[in-house]
């Protein structure tokens, strides 16, 4: 394992504010980044906004302000939400940043000089909404371009093209030899099909006469760069590639390749075809091609989340109503990484109340209270009894499972292992009835053993929650009055003696009409 870990998310369009899909992706990446930091890896977590393109220009025009002003105002909505959700990114990738523009320009110039770009005339139908020329393959069964393309016009224009097709044979070989390139693995077949279908060279420019809101081509000032070509480069421009400072450029190569966390809609063609081919053309070796973690979609009542359908749930409103922790928990708890899920406020409240308030929160509270009441707040003894040993052993095996799942980005399964520790421990309290043991002086050692193992359960849960709910994890460790365990050494024995603090609720129940 190298000590560096670079993780990025897709950069979000700034033609409208954040929705729950954006929030999920940032939380997923944040949980992975925090886990890797706990594993002592030097993490570079980059997220940001995609500010160029037709959609931003049109939205700005509607409001009668400049494209930059508009993009900046929408950007603030994203950064405010990421702050509220405690998204711990190291670098903010905004594509209007001069650092990024300079790198895009340098790359274009190099590809141009290497003969990878050429100018050509193209005429055909063009979708303004999707910002692309359409082919007959894009027509529906009735032979029309469906409503998903928005307004479609006929255009004839000169543009610059990137020799994408000449690299497709390389890509096919690469994908076949590197099944780990896309995660989860079931996406590989879909990608291979797409590559085998072939395609056309990629148009990487837009004439300024039609769109001025973009990065000018360094070798032809009549054109700006196509928004996807510009946007993909953010992954390297903000990680130090071609940085003016040679130290920073050197660091880039130590940190690279990254893990890109993206949604399934932008795997093909952008991330799994254009991007590796762009990097390959820039002379990145096969080992320097990043990996893609492709997540599924949050839907609403089985339908795509969309403002126009009126079913969009506002994550800002959710965070203020239920708290950012409830949201962080729900978004990684109720979806399997790679699969779709259906958003439900009822489930958000139900899972928080049953698993966190009643499960973990109640356990913390009971265990600390009993330790105070029956042992004066101090656990000293390491004495052992079979029941306690069984629970302690089961806990350790659940912790191992947690690590396996977290390393495979299967956060929902990792959370299930945490909840199992809580459920088993709550059941153990009922079975051992410490309140009865406390009445019998002959059971003193057994009582100490029961409470030690229970404190150990709470301590393990507090540690394992750290990447998912950092605030609550820290609060639990403070109440236990103990240190976190090391995610690298994984010594799972509770440090003794332990003098526990006073319990205060960490997961107050959400009282809402949704919980009835
Ligand atoms: N700007 C491009 C990405 C460029 S990356 C070089 C883009 N932006 S987006 O705002 O439309 O989407 C940003 C991310 O949110 C994408 O990864 C997308 O898959 C994800 N999601 C958008 N809607 C989603 C859901 N309903 N559910 C989960 N994630 C989804 O594409």
């Amino acid at each position: 394992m190298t000590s560096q870990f670079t993780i990025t998310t897709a950069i979000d369009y700034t033609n409208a504010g954040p929705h729950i899909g954006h929030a999920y992706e940032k939380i997923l990446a944040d949980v992975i980044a925090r886990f890797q930091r706990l594993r002592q890896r030097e993490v570079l977590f980059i997220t940001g906004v995609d500010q160029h393109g037709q959609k931003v220009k049109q939205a700005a025009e509607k409001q009668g302000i400049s494209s930059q002003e508009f993009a900046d105002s929408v950007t603030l909505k994203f950064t405010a939400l990421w702050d509220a959700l405690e998204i711990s990114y190291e670098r903010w990738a905004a594509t209007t940043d001069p650092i990024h523009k300079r790198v895009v320009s340098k790359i274009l110039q190099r590809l141009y000089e290497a003969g990878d770009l050429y100018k050509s005339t193209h005429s055909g139908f063009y979708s303004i909404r999707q910002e692309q020329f359409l082919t007959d393959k894009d027509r529906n069964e009735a032979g029309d371009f469906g409503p998903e393309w928005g307004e479609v016009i006929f255009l004839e224009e000169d543009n610059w093209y990137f020799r994408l097709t000449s690299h497709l044979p390389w890509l096919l070989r690469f994908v076949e030899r590197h099944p780990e390139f896309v995660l989860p693995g079931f996406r590989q077949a879909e990608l291979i099909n797409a590559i085998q279908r072939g395609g056309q060279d990629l148009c990487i420019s837009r004439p300024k006469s039609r769109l001025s809101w973009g990065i000018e081509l360094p070798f032809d000032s009549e054109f700006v760069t196509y928004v996807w070509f510009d946007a993909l480069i953010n992954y390297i421009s903000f990680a130090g590639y071609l940085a003016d400072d040679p130290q920073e450029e050197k660091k880039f190569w130590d940190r690279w390749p990254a893990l890109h966390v993206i949604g399934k809609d932008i795997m093909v063609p952008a991330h799994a075809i254009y991007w590796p081919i762009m990097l390959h053309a820039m002379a990145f070796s096969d080992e320097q091609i990043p990996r893609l973690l492709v997540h599924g979609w949050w839907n609403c009542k089985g339908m795509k989340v969309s403002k126009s359908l009126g079913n969009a749930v506002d994550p800002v409103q959710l965070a203020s109503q239920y708290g950012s922790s409830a949201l962080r928990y729900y978004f990684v708890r109720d979806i399997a990484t790679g699969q779709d899920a259906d958003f439900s406020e009822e489930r958000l409240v139900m899972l928080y109340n049953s698993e966190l308030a009643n499960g973990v929160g109640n356990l913390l509270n009971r265990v600390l209270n009993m330790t105070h009441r029956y042992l004066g707040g101090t656990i000293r003894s390491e004495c052992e009894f079979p029941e306690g040993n069984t629970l302690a052993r089961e806990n350790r095996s659940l912790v191992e499972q947690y690590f396996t799942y977290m390393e495979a980005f299967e956060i929902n399964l990792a959370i299930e292992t945490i909840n199992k520790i809580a459920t088993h421990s709550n059941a153990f309290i009922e079975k051992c009835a410490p309140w009865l043991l406390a009445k019998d002086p002959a059971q003193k050692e057994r009582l100490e053993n029961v409470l030690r193992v229970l404190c150990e359960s709470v301590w393990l849960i507090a540690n394992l929650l750290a990447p998912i709910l950092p605030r609550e994890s820290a609060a639990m460790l403070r109440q236990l009055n103990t240190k976190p365990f090391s995610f690298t050494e994984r010594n799972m024995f509770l440090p003794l003696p332990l003098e526990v603090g006073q319990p205060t609720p960490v997961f107050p129940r959400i009282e809402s009409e949704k919980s009835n």
Side-chain angles (χ1 to χ4, degrees):
M1 190 172 82
T2 66
S3 61
Q4 310 278 334
F5 186 84
T6 300
I7 181 166
T8 71
T9 71
I11 49 172
D12 301 317
Y13 283 131
T14 52
N15 57 321
H19 58 57
I20 57 167
H22 298 137
Y24 163 57
E25 183 174 283
K26 299 337 163 220
I27 295 168
L28 171 64
D30 185 62
V31 169
I32 298 170
R34 286 177 186 271
F35 175 72
Q36 295 296 342
R37 283 189 206 107
L38 288 163
R39 302 207 60 207
Q40 304 300 320
R41 295 181 86 180
E42 202 182 305
V43 171
L44 177 64
F45 173 13
I46 308 176
T47 190
V49 276
D50 194 351
Q51 296 176 306
H52 288 127
Q54 191 86 26
K55 289 178 202 164
V56 171
K57 185 165 179 275
Q58 282 172 344
E61 275 165 5
K62 250 193 209 162
Q63 289 198 7
I65 53 176
S66 74
S67 298
Q68 186 69 60
E69 275 173 318
F70 180 80
D72 287 346
S73 70
V74 177
T75 297
L76 284 178
K77 297 187 184 164
F78 282 97
T79 49
L81 181 62
W82 303 157
D83 287 349
L85 292 175
E86 294 170 85
I87 307 299
S88 61
Y89 56 91
E90 269 85 19
R91 295 211 184 157
W92 182 246
T95 50
T96 54
D97 190 317
I99 295 178
H100 173 72
K101 289 192 196 169
R102 200 164 52 234
V103 176
V104 171
S105 226
K106 280 188 189 172
I107 290 172
L108 283 165
Q109 185 65 35
R110 287 184 178 190
L111 292 175
Y112 170 72
E113 284 166 15
D116 275 310
L117 306 179
Y118 63 91
K119 200 174 185 179
S120 165
T121 308
H122 184 80
S123 59
F125 291 102
Y126 185 86
S127 154
I128 296 185
R129 181 192 291 173
Q130 297 302 334
E131 299 178 40
Q132 68 183 74
F133 276 102
L134 303 176
T135 67
D136 283 341
K137 275 195 252 165
D138 301 314
R139 292 180 190 273
N140 59 23
E141 280 155 18
D144 303 323
F145 295 114
E148 70 275 19
W149 298 112
E151 188 186 349
V152 174
I153 54 173
F154 191 83
L155 264 186
E156 176 174 270
E157 66 185 24
D158 278 354
N159 265 309
W160 284 88
Y161 289 82
F162 170 53
R163 294 187 194 283
L164 191 83
T165 47
S166 66
H167 296 292
L168 285 173
W170 164 78
L171 183 63
L172 184 59
R173 243 187 356 265
F174 170 78
V175 172
E176 283 169 348
R177 284 189 197 157
H178 294 273
E180 76 288 357
F181 170 52
V182 277
L183 273 169
F186 71 82
R187 298 254 173 230
Q188 200 199 13
E190 180 186 337
L191 172 57
I192 289 179
N193 278 337
I195 302 170
Q196 284 171 335
R197 274 200 304 276
Q200 297 158 345
D201 282 344
L202 177 66
C203 178
I204 57 121
S205 67
R206 295 293 179 265
K208 268 196 192 161
S209 52
R210 188 151 66 75
L211 174 70
S212 52
W213 185 232
I215 303 175
E216 187 180 291
L217 296 188
F219 46 83
D220 192 340
S221 59
E222 298 287 297
F223 295 88
V224 295
T225 313
Y226 169 47
V227 65
W228 266 105
F229 197 88
D230 151 9
L232 287 161
I233 290 174
N234 95 85
Y235 297 135
I236 52 179
S237 62
F238 290 99
Y241 181 67
L242 299 185
D244 287 340
D245 173 2
Q247 283 302 319
E248 180 65 5
E249 160 105 59
K250 187 187 160 297
K251 278 197 204 145
F252 169 78
W253 292 109
D254 296 338
R255 293 176 184 133
W256 197 255
L259 174 73
H260 297 319
V261 180
I262 57 160
K264 63 179 186 178
D265 55 318
I266 56 172
M267 178 182 93
V268 169
H271 282 82
I273 297 184
Y274 301 165
W275 183 227
I277 290 183
M278 284 164 69
L279 291 170
H280 179 67
M282 288 179 228
F284 281 58
S285 71
D286 288 9
E287 287 64 46
Q288 290 164 343
I289 302 296
R291 279 195 308 161
L292 307 179
L293 176 60
V294 184
H295 62 74
W297 273 50
W298 278 98
N299 297 319
C300 265
K301 302 195 171 67
M303 303 229 285
K304 191 174 160 182
V305 176
S306 142
K307 287 212 169 133
S308 52
L309 289 174
N311 67 350
V313 206
D314 180 4
V316 176
Q317 201 258 323
L318 288 174
S320 78
Q321 186 172 353
Y322 299 116
S324 62
S325 299
L327 235 62
R328 284 182 67 95
Y329 186 73
Y330 177 69
F331 278 128
V332 283
R333 161 69 182 85
D334 213 21
I335 191 167
T337 311
Q339 307 292 331
D340 294 351
D342 212 59
F343 179 81
S344 146
E345 238 170 290
E346 284 80 6
R347 280 188 66 76
L348 185 156
V349 174
M350 186 277 284
L351 289 169
Y352 178 92
N353 280 345
S354 66
E355 298 179 347
L356 294 175
N358 295 353
V360 175
N362 201 20
L363 177 70
L364 170 77
N365 194 45
R366 287 169 97 188
V367 170
L368 292 190
N369 272 327
M370 289 191 295
T371 308
H372 280 289
R373 194 167 314 143
Y374 306 136
L375 299 179
T378 309
I379 308 267
R380 279 195 192 85
S381 159
E382 293 191 44
C383 61
E384 308 217 346
F385 283 89
E387 315 86 292
N389 280 350
T390 308
L391 182 70
R393 231 188 356 262
E394 279 173 8
N395 282 350
R396 283 181 213 124
S397 127
L398 286 165
V399 175
E400 290 301 341
Q401 289 177 33
Y402 165 94
F403 275 92
T404 307
Y405 289 135
M406 287 298 277
E407 272 152 26
F409 315 120
E410 295 183 301
I411 318 295
N412 62 318
L413 298 179
I415 292 178
E416 274 179 28
T417 65
I418 301 178
N419 287 330
K420 276 188 191 153
I421 301 180
T423 316
H424 294 176
S425 303
N426 274 321
F428 181 75
I429 297 179
E430 297 309 318
K431 189 173 126 210
C432 299
W435 46 91
L436 296 181
L437 299 178
K439 287 190 181 147
D440 179 358
Q443 299 287 346
K444 178 81 197 306
E445 286 211 329
R446 189 178 289 272
L447 176 66
E448 285 193 312
N449 171 253
V450 165
L451 288 174
R452 175 177 60 78
V453 175
L454 285 168
C455 280
E456 194 166 86
S457 293
V458 175
W459 179 64
L460 292 173
I461 293 171
N463 280 300
L464 303 186
L465 279 176
I468 302 144
L469 299 171
R471 211 164 353 117
E472 287 73 10
S473 160
M476 288 176 76
L477 289 169
R478 261 196 315 277
Q479 292 185 27
L480 275 168
N481 196 19
T482 182
K483 287 198 183 74
F485 78 61
S486 148
F487 272 58
T488 45
E489 285 155 28
R490 292 195 214 168
N491 179 357
M492 299 176 212
F493 295 95
L494 179 69
L496 293 180
L498 173 70
E499 226 176 285
V500 300
Q502 289 301 327
T504 41
V506 175
F507 299 106
R509 267 185 78 80
I510 299 176
E511 302 299 344
S512 111
E513 69 269 24
K514 302 282 178 191
S515 56
N516 299 329

